[in-house]
């Protein structure tokens, strides 16, 4: 199913697609930012609820920069001092986060209309988005052709396949920036979610959330989320890194033994029983707890989004990799095709602990 979500100020139409599987899961996507606009999944009682933060109208997506649901590029996350070099040639990028470069610059991939084709055949339904980022867009060298394909399977998985190639050496790091709240998009916060991240280390950051280059073990710290942990219990621990970012906004170095898909994170929301599993071929996961949300943006349901009302599980390479030769490389060269995959798997856990009703004093009949 498809319709027109809205028009840009210059009249360009933005198409919205709805993918629906036999379980009733529905994912709305749009050509603006190749973004996930809504994601309706079942809770443990079978009731559908929208678990992705977003706006009800296109203008809000155009006018705000929270990256709700968008594909982020050409380089997701930060590049220190908005500068990097390839083969001795230095490139200056748009500085849109203080002196640093964030999420592709002033007008990143989230702020463009992509071409799209939809395909539906029995158990496969998908939308493929495509755009060519011109040479020197936001300062990056080379024309970059990018394809992002979303497939909703009968097994309740949203598979995101990324492919890119270039005509000149360039830096690329693509991610999906959906903010999830498994209780429902309009719920107050995500603090009761239980999270598990399969990472024994993370990249330490300094002011401006720029990596120092150190990869440090999580063991014994608030960053040790290898066992299921309620976010509320971990996020306010007195840890210098949590203070710097006002919560989690860090790149976790995923535990993997080889290439291919690896389980990166699991999420459980106890009141609804909804679960989300994220698997990826990428080496890192930026876990971001919506620390910059501050109630100024009003979501689809009409309610403002306060701090920590959504969380992102952004599969990607490490921040500032173009300036860090010890990090896995993000340089793409002509003749090579970048291929990555991330899988979001929706589910429910029936045995999840349901918090008790608030205690109230009962009057006894005398
Ligand atoms: C990412 C970053 C955050 C913030 C959000 C968007 O997750 O790591 O610091 O910029 O995007 O607000």
């Amino acid at each position: 199913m498809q319709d027109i979500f809205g028009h840009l100020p210059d009249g360009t139409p933005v198409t919205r697609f709805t993918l629906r599987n036999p379980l009733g899961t529905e994912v709305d996507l749009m050509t603006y930012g190749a973004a996930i606009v809504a994601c309706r999944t079942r809770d443990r009682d079978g009731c559908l609820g929208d678990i992705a933060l977003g706006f009800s109208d296109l203008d809000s997506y155009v006018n705000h920069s929270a990256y709700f649901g968008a594909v982020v590029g050409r380089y997701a996350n930060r590049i220190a001092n908005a500068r990097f070099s390839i083969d001795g040639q230095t490139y200056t990028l748009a500085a849109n986060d203080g002196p640093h470069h964030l999420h592709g610059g002033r007008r990143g991939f989230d702020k463009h209309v992509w071409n799209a084709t939809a395909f539906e055949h029995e158990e496969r339904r998908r939308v493929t988005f495509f755009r060519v980022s011109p040479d020197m867009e936001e300062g990056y060298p080379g024309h970059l052709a990018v394809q992002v394909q979303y497939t909703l399977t009968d097994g309740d998985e949203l598979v995101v396949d990324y492919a890119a190639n270039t005509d000149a050496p360039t830096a690329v790091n693509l991610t999906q920036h959906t903010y999830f709240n498994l209780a429902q998009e309009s719920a107050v916060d995500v603090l009761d979610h239980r999270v598990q991240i399969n990472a024994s280390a993370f990249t330490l950051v300094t002011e401006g959330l720029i990596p120092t280059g150190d990869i440090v073990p999580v063991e014994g710290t608030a960053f040790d989320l290898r066992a299921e942990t309620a976010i509320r219990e971990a996020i306010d621990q007195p840890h210098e890194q949590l203070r710097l970012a006002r919560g989690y906004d860090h790149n976790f170095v995923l535990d993997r033994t080889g290439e291919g898909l690896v389980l990166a994170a699991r999420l459980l929301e106890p009141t609804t029983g909804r679960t989300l599993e994220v698997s990826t071929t990428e080496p890192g996961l930026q876990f971001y707890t919506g620390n910059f949300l501050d109630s100024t943006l009003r979501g689809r349901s009409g309610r403002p989004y306060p701090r920590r009302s959504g969380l992102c599980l952004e599969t990607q390479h490490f921040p500032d990799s173009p300036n860090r030769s010890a990090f896995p490389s993000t340089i793409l060269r002509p003749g090579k095709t970048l291929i990555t995959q991330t899988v979001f798997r929706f589910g429910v856990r029936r045995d999840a602990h349901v918090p008790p009703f608030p205690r109230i004093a009962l009057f006894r009949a005398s």
Side-chain angles (χ1 to χ4, degrees), residues 9 16 44 47 69 89 93 150 183 225:
R16 170 173 51 190
R44 69 154 75 73
C47 298
Q89 170 83 41
L93 304 170
Y150 294 90
L225 302 173

Side-chain angles (χ1 to χ4, degrees), residues 65-67 77-78 102-103 177 179 209 249 286 288 292 312 314:
S65 289
Y67 308 92
N77 218 318
R78 292 163 179 82
L102 174 68
H103 289 339
H177 206 290
Y179 291 67
L209 305 187
D249 194 352
Q286 183 84 9
Y288 170 57
F292 295 122
C312 303
E314 306 161 44

Side-chain angles (χ1 to χ4, degrees), residues 109-155:
F109 288 7
D110 57 302
K111 290 270 183 276
H112 286 272
V113 177
W114 296 53
N115 294 313
T117 51
F119 167 94
E120 188 150 357
H121 180 69
E122 292 175 356
E123 81 282 9
R124 281 187 304 160
R125 49 204 76 69
R126 68 167 56 128
V127 180
T128 307
F129 293 100
F130 179 79
R131 90 172 279 263
V132 176
S133 164
D135 181 33
M136 298 315 286
E137 184 177 48
E138 302 290 321
Y140 291 97
H143 296 83
L144 185 79
V146 191
Q147 184 180 290
V148 179
Q149 181 171 279
Y150 294 90
T151 307
L152 182 65
T153 69
D154 283 4

Side-chain angles (χ1 to χ4, degrees), residues 191-241:
L191 295 177
D192 288 325
H193 285 54
R194 301 181 69 82
V195 68
Q196 186 201 335
I197 299 180
N198 290 332
S200 305
F202 74 106
T203 49
L204 210 62
V205 290
T206 177
E207 299 288 342
L209 305 187
I210 298 297
T212 61
D214 300 310
I215 295 180
V216 295
V218 296
E219 183 87 51
T221 74
F223 288 81
D224 194 345
L225 302 173
R226 290 173 294 179
E228 195 183 278
T229 308
I231 296 175
R232 187 185 295 287
E233 284 161 22
I235 198 166
D236 288 323
Q237 285 184 30
H239 192 297
E240 175 61 9
Q241 288 287 307

Side-chain angles (χ1 to χ4, degrees), residues 149-153 157-161 341-344:
Q149 181 171 279
Y150 294 90
T151 307
L152 182 65
T153 69
E157 293 166 327
L158 182 66
V159 182
V160 192
D161 288 294
Q341 187 180 69
T342 291
V343 180
F344 297 98

